[in-house]
Structures are given as C-alpha cells and as structure tokens.
Amino acid sequence: MVSARRKALEMLWRGSCTVKAWQDAEDPVTHITKPQEVTLHENLKCKLSHKALTSASSSGGPAIIAEQIKLSLGNEYKIPAGCKLIVTQDEVTEEYSRSGKPGIFMDHQEIVLELFKKYA
C-alpha cells in the first residue's frame, strides 16, 4: 500500500526513467551468453533536480562551479552501481550514470547522477 506521503511526493515527479545495465545475457536464438545492455526497469516515475555548487579556489584562482544532479524515485527499485539511467523530464531526455550510493528514505530514494560517458 502506498502511503499518503508517497502519493504527495509522486505528484511532484514529472519525469520517467529507464534503467539499463551491462550484464551477461543469453541470446535466445544462439543460446550463447555474452555481455550486452539489459533493461532492468522501464517507465519509472521520477524527478530530476539540479543544484549548482560553488566552491572557492584555494589557489586564489576563479571559483569552481559544479552541478549536482539528483534523481528521486520509489525506494522499491534496486539501481545497481555503474548502470545507465535514461531520464525524460520536461520533454528533455538525457543519459546518466549512477555515481553514488542511494539515500534511502521512508517513501523514496535519492541518487546522485553524472552525465553518462560509458559503462564502468
């Protein structure tokens, strides 16, 4: 049963995501097992948020500005390290990789992401 808190959170989630991983999988025709991209979850409701982080340079140079990208979604989904997340929100689709251990909360989880470059 979904709690009232979770329903309230989901009202803010305006995105959807697909989770893919590089795993050994058997080809149904040849029955040969080889590494390939496998979809773990599809069309999960989520919310992508961006936070600009600024830190002063210790060398007296310009301040370093970084961006933290965080994905909020249901805590019932296991998102393995090193997987690819394809997130669509506000008609924009981007590919990300999971960079950190998820923060698990009572009704959701939050995962810090990086732009996807390649599988680890």
Side-chain angles (χ1 to χ4, degrees):
M1 186 171 133
V2 177
S3 71
R5 286 185 304 271
R6 172 69 177 266
K7 287 180 183 179
L9 279 174
E10 286 185 359
M11 288 175 36
L12 301 173
W13 296 350
R14 59 186 193 273
S16 66
C17 71
T18 298
V19 181
K20 296 186 175 207
W22 194 256
Q23 297 179 342
D24 285 338
E26 182 179 315
D27 184 297
V29 176
T30 64
H31 300 288
I32 296 173
T33 300
K34 61 182 179 179
Q36 57 187 345
E37 189 174 75
V38 176
T39 300
L40 303 178
H41 306 287
E42 280 188 290
N43 298 318
L44 303 181
K45 288 180 74 173
C46 64
K47 178 185 176 202
L48 197 62
S49 59
H50 301 265
K51 179 180 176 183
L53 305 171
T54 306
S55 63
S57 171
S58 60
S59 64
I64 298 169
I65 299 174
E67 181 179 36
Q68 182 183 57
I69 304 167
K70 190 178 354 176
L71 184 72
S72 300
L73 70 158
N75 57 5
E76 65 270 20
Y77 305 109
K78 182 173 169 97
I79 311 295
C83 63
K84 180 195 296 185
L85 292 99
I86 303 163
V87 181
T88 301
Q89 182 172 288
D90 300 329
E91 299 180 16
V92 176
T93 301
E94 288 284 349
E95 293 183 353
Y96 300 95
S97 57
R98 188 190 119 184
S99 65
K101 184 177 178 182
I104 305 293
F105 300 95
M106 187 180 302
D107 295 302
H108 72 291
Q109 63 179 316
E110 295 178 356
I111 303 170
V112 176
L113 304 176
E114 299 177 347
L115 283 173
F116 184 81
K117 294 177 184 109
K118 63 179 184 174
Y119 282 104

